[in-house]
């Protein structure tokens, strides 16, 4: 008996429908997802000419019943749900009953399938969606689908395809992500008769990372395995060594489906903060969230890349905790001191972070994160950071040494000062303060190269908001009237600060948008900060430490280098000497 049904009109109208086949990679995605939905654990994908002329998917799944074969090509024909209400407890990749119909309608389509309890399989051939033959054939159990000459009957859409290499790259990139989430499925990708990618299906994420990213990355990842409130987070995160300039390596799956979601991105950003990831860098992660289907709505967009969580703040928190807990393991930190107090630590840090750092713009408007009053947590924090310490001295004219209780801290004076200045500039920048400029006694006109001049003109706003007072003087010249009003170590020349910042920004030009702001502020802070080998007076040290200790994240400089190293008293044992 067949299992596929045609959805009723009510359900059809409620399902996010629409064309999802724009290119060969979309065909591969839909067919491979059908294969896993059919329980396959071995899938072979063979393509020619970037999938434009030929795509063949073979699986060892449960196959399609004879009488269902023609029905499966109809629109809204699915075996996965009976009505839209079933989505609350459906975990299959597909549910719209549209993919095969869409694919068949724009190609020469062949499908061969046999279920385990049939002797013979069925082969149907369709052209532009019309079935032209159906016959019984010898076949392995499972399903094979061949899609040839995609868009043969819609030449305009064919014209939008990129060259074969690019189309193939889309296929490969998609399949690699699929393989990361489906570690127990072995996939093989063949391009123009060459095997390009295989995964063994043995379920090991470390093997997969090695395969896709190589040795260096594999050696810098840590396993995540966390569960809270019925949500399970598994996968890996990377140490700061492999933090990236882009978000390309921030990959997230929801019940093994690759999704894009700003709540999760924001949550990860918070969790990586303070972990040494560094300004403008993005933490590496490949994580899957397993949760009940009624916690979210995937029926938002036909590609199913978007999702709406019913309780954004819950998901935000669990994801944050999963990452933070992994970051606080011995493996990640290289020592075990925080490990015991982890849960309490993460909880506290989370409350603090979410009260101060969430940028509303990066979250969906419905977020309900602010449940603790700001004032209360500010007070808590002030109390926490009022630390009594004893100043011991300065080591190598570089490290400030202080004693706090049973611990000794070495504080890198440059990194610490840099951190401090960074916070000051950023505060001014964020609040767009008008009075954050220190006017120079004499304005200076600087002659720049054309490239430098263009950069300054284009980014005038960055300079101004950070506290520079600049004027365009024409002919590649800029006049400096003032520099950011922050606590310089000594009389910093306006020209040097301006030129150093400019140089640095131009040598690392890649970042854009928000990143460039962060990087700019970090650069100014770095250039203005006291360097190693500069002598500090006791008063200056006091001020530096006092100011540092009330910062939101005193532990790393804006570039992610630690400002502080801690030693426990019991590590100082004469027996070891
Ligand atoms: N490889 C396969 N093995 C077994 N059954 C399959 C396979 N491919 C498709 N089917 C059957 O054909 C039906 C239609 O597939 P189709 O991809 O069009 O819809 P769907 O997967 O139900 O929903 P969606 O459009 O969201 O992908 C499926 O519900 C399933 O019953
Ligand atoms: Mg499908």
């Amino acid at each position: 008996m067949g299992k596929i049904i045609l959805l009723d009109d009510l359900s059809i109208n409620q399902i996010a429908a629409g064309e999802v086949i724009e290119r060969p990679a979309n065909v591969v995605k839909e067919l491979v997802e059908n294969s896993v939905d059919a329980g396959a654990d071995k899938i072979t994908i063979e393509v020619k000419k970037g999938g434009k002329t030929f795509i063949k998917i073979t699986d060892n799944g449960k196959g399609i019943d004879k009488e269902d074969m023609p029905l499966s090509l109809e629109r809204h024909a699915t075996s996965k749900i009976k009505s839209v209400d079933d989505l609350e407890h459906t975990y299959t990749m597909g549910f719209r009953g549209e993919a095969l119909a869409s694919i068949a309608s724009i190609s020469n389509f062949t499908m061969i399938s046999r279920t385990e309890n049939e002797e013979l399989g069925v082969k149907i051939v369709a052209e532009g969606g019309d079935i032209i033959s159906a016959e019984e054939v010898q076949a392995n159990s499972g399903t094979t689908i061949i899609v040839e000459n995609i868009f043969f009957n819609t030449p305009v859409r064919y014209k939008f395809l990129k060259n074969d290499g690019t189309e193939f790259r889309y296929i490969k990139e998609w399949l690699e992500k699929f393989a990361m989430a489906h570690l127990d499925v072995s996939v093989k990708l063949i391009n123009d008769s060459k095997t390009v990618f295989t995964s063994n299906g043995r379920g090991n994420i470390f093997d997969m990372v090695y395969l896709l990213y190589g040795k260096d990355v594999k050696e810098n990842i840590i396993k995540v395995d966390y569960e809270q409130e019925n949500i399970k987070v598994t996968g890996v995160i990377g140490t700061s060594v492999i933090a990236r300039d882009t978000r390309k390596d921030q990959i997230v799956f929801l019940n093994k489906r690759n999704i894009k979601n700003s709540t999760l991105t924001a949550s990860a950003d918070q969790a990586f903060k303070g972990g040494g990831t560094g300004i403008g860098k993005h933490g590496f992660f490949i994580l899957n969230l397993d949760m009940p289907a009624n916690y979210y709505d995937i029926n938002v967009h036909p590609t199913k890349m978007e999702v709406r969580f019913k309780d954004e703040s819950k998901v935000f928190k669990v994801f944050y905790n999963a990452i933070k807990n992994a970051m606080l393991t011995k493996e990640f930190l290289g020592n075990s001191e925080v490990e015991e107090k982890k849960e309490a630590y993460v909880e506290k840090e989370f409350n603090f972070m979410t009260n101060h750092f969430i940028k509303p713009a990066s979250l969906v408007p419905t977020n309900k994160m602010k449940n603790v009053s700001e004032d209360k947590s500010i007070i808590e924090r002030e109390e926490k950071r009022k630390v009594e310490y004893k100043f011991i001295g300065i080591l190598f004219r570089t490290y400030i040494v202080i004693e706090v209780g049973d611990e000794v801290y070495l504080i890198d004076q440059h990194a610490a000062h840099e951190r401090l200045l960074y916070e000051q500039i950023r505060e001014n920048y964020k609040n767009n303060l008008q009075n954050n400029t220190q006017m120079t006694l004499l304005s200076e006109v600087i002659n720049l190269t054309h490239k430098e001049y263009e950069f300054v003109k284009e980014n005038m706003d960055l300079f101004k908001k950070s506290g520079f007072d600049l004027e365009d003087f024409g002919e590649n010249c800029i006049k400096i009237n003032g520099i950011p009003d922050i606590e310089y170590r000594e009389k910093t020349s306006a020209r040097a600060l301006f030129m150093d910042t400019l140089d640095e920004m131009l040598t690392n030009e890649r970042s854009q948008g928000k990143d460039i702001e962060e990087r700019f502020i970090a650069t100014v802070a770095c250039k203005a900060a006291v360097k190693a080998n500069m002598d500090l007076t006791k008063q200056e040290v006091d001020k530096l430490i006092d100011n540092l200790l009330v910062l939101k994240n005193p532990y790393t400089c804006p570039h992610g280098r630690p400002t502080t190293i801690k030693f426990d008293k019991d590590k100082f044992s004469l027996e070891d000497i």
Side-chain angles (χ1 to χ4, degrees), residues 4 30-31 33-35 37-38 59 61-64 68 72-74 77-80 93-101 111 113 142-143 145 304:
I4 297 181
E30 294 299 332
L31 297 183
E33 289 189 346
N34 279 345
S35 297
D37 282 350
D59 73 45
K62 65 179 195 281
I64 304 175
D68 276 351
S72 68
L73 298 193
E74 301 269 331
T78 181
S79 59
K80 298 169 191 175
M93 298 285 147
F95 54 79
R96 304 166 312 140
E98 289 217 308
L100 290 190
M111 178 159 75
S113 192
T143 305
I145 292 177
K304 306 169 188 133

Side-chain angles (χ1 to χ4, degrees), residues 155-180:
V156 178
R157 285 163 77 185
Y158 185 86
K159 275 204 196 108
F160 274 102
L161 296 181
K162 307 244 170 76
N163 66 41
D164 297 359
T166 306
E167 292 298 339
F168 179 71
R169 194 160 48 76
Y170 289 134
I171 293 174
K172 185 159 174 278
E173 281 171 5
W174 180 82
L175 192 71
E176 288 173 348
K177 283 207 179 114
F178 172 88
M180 287 179 209

